[in-house]
Amino acid sequence: MKPTLLALVGPTGSGKTETAIRLAPALNAEIVSMDSMQIYRGMDIGTAKPSAQQLAAVPHHMIDIAEPDELFTVSAYREHAMREIDGILSRGRHVLLVGGTGLYLQALSYDMTLGDNGADTTLRDRLHEIAQSEGGENTLHAMLAKVDPRTAEKLHPHDVRRVIRALEIYETSGRAKSEQKNETRREGPYHVLVYGLSLPREQMYARINERVDEMMRDGLVDEVRGLLARGIEPRREGGAMQAIGYKEIVSALRGEITTERAVELIKQGSRRYAKRQWTWFRHDARTQWLDYTDFPSADMLREALLARMLRDLAEAEETQGRSASAS
């Protein structure tokens, strides 16, 4: 029978990390991160990575597994995360997936290639930024030619939409578009129960703005300066330094914009990203939403979420037991 995993999702600033750390011990669970930026070593402040104390409180996986100058595909994430998940399950513990990267959730939910099922809006935005830069159309076409020469031969550099789509397919599935057939989406090796945290947009944006201010107080500028000193540079084809919070500070350090303007842009970009995350997870019919406004306190929301997760796990295990007996 397929193991049942729990997934806690929601937009940035919705309290996923704190909630997961509070719930994991009661669930006998270890946390597997689904954050596309927290995989990078040395990028702690700008990615809102769990603190050393939080990491020590509950075992975490898929954090600090790649260098900032690596391009880490969704297929690479899936392969690595599945090894961690299987290890957790072998220890008789539950898995709590936590994060806001929708494609990572899809990668662990379905036994399929991901290219025909949409693209992470963060990835798409990055590719469009390249397209809009000087010589960007040729840059994108050259990127495609490296990973999928057969498709690149069929597409003109000016056909930006199809070039971007082919690149999305490669980055999300690890396979070239020309290699893929029409494949249906099937549940993968795990049965995933999905829960989402939500709050009114005004409150979410206020949290995001405060978190950016806190990042600045905690030393985001020094973190970026240290990455640049290591030779980690923003790249036109993407990479960790193109992430929100890092590219803006790089511009400020190079004198292209003021620090104050960089902070404004980080807040603006983070709010837009949260909105895109919200839209992504709202389209996932599996998600059971819990809104902070429906509870007198955050603690009571967590209590309700824990009760629901324990109930759903018990029901899933009972169903699996009946199926095993029948077979």
Side-chain angles (χ1 to χ4, degrees):
M1 299 302 296
K2 293 180 180 179
T4 298
L5 312 184
L6 302 167
L8 183 61
V9 303
T12 185
S14 58
K16 298 182 296 294
T17 297
E18 181 65 25
T19 298
I21 290 170
R22 296 275 194 96
L23 268 55
L27 293 166
N28 186 32
E30 298 183 21
I31 293 173
V32 175
S33 172
M34 296 190 300
D35 188 296
S36 61
M37 293 308 302
Q38 293 182 1
I39 62 174
Y40 294 112
R41 303 183 189 98
M43 302 183 74
D44 303 332
I45 298 172
T47 65
K49 198 173 290 180
S51 66
Q53 293 80 3
Q54 290 174 320
L55 292 173
V58 177
H60 282 68
H61 306 267
M62 299 305 292
I63 291 178
D64 290 340
I65 64 169
E67 293 300 327
D69 55 355
E70 294 182 49
L71 286 176
F72 202 82
T73 66
V74 176
S75 59
Y77 171 86
R78 183 178 193 269
E79 180 180 355
H80 196 141
M82 288 177 67
R83 289 198 299 268
E84 298 295 329
I85 289 168
D86 292 344
I88 296 169
L89 295 172
S90 72
R91 295 191 288 274
R93 309 201 72 190
H94 289 119
V95 174
L96 181 56
L97 308 171
V98 182
T101 302
L103 272 178
Y104 282 5
L105 177 61
Q106 278 199 353
L108 297 175
S109 298
Y110 301 110
D111 185 16
M112 60 171 195
T113 58
L114 303 177
D116 293 329
N117 291 278
D120 184 357
T121 52
T122 305
L123 167 61
R124 182 168 294 169
D125 288 349
R126 171 166 62 80
L127 295 174
H128 276 292
E129 285 183 8
I130 296 173
Q132 293 166 8
S133 63
E134 184 178 354
E137 293 180 356
N138 291 327
T139 298
L140 285 177
H141 196 266
M143 290 166 58
L144 180 61
K146 288 181 181 180
V147 299
D148 188 358
R150 289 172 56 191
T151 300
E153 287 178 5
K154 300 176 182 178
L155 298 177
H156 192 280
H158 293 339
D159 194 354
V160 174
R161 183 180 65 83
R162 288 187 173 86
V163 170
I164 286 178
R165 185 64 180 141
L167 284 167
E168 289 174 346
I169 289 173
Y170 176 78
E171 290 209 30
T172 56
S173 70
R175 291 171 54 198
K177 180 178 184 295
S178 57
E179 298 174 355
Q180 298 190 20
K181 307 293 184 183
N182 291 326
E183 299 172 348
T184 58
R185 187 169 71 171
R186 301 182 302 272
E187 187 176 65
Y190 314 115
H191 177 57
V192 184
L193 302 174
V194 186
Y195 307 84
L197 298 178
S198 66
L199 67 166
R201 183 172 298 180
E202 296 76 15
Q203 293 183 27
M204 181 174 66
Y205 287 174
R207 285 192 186 191
I208 290 170
N209 291 341
E210 173 55 32
R211 186 157 76 171
V212 173
D213 290 336
E214 184 177 348
M215 288 176 179
M216 294 299 292
R217 293 192 295 268
D218 288 344
L220 178 58
V221 173
D222 287 338
E223 179 171 270
V224 176
R225 186 180 286 115
L227 290 165
L228 291 172
R230 290 170 49 194
I232 310 298
E233 294 280 343
R235 301 187 303 196
R236 292 183 66 187
E237 67 271 23
M241 289 291 273
Q242 287 288 356
I244 299 169
Y246 290 89
K247 60 184 177 182
E248 295 86 356
I249 297 300
V250 169
S251 293
L253 289 173
R254 291 176 173 171
E256 298 166 357
I257 58 175
T258 65
T259 301
E260 292 75 14
R261 179 57 178 161
V263 171
E264 292 176 4
L265 291 174
I266 295 170
K267 291 179 178 179
Q268 182 182 81
S270 298
R271 293 193 299 267
R272 289 176 176 170
Y273 179 55
K275 185 177 180 180
R276 293 195 298 268
Q277 289 175 304
W278 177 269
T279 301
W280 177 285
F281 291 119
R282 279 290 179 186
H283 287 163
D284 191 331
R286 299 173 297 169
T287 308
Q288 301 183 51
W289 289 98
L290 289 89
D291 193 290
Y292 285 94
T293 58
D294 293 333
F295 299 88
S297 67
D299 285 339
M300 294 189 71
L301 179 148
R302 293 176 185 127
E303 290 175 9
L305 176 57
L306 175 60
R308 189 177 299 186
M309 286 179 164
L310 290 171
R311 179 202 67 196
D312 292 348
L313 277 174
E315 290 179 356
E317 291 171 357
E318 181 180 350
T319 299
Q320 290 177 356
R322 287 198 301 267
S323 299
S325 300
S327 61

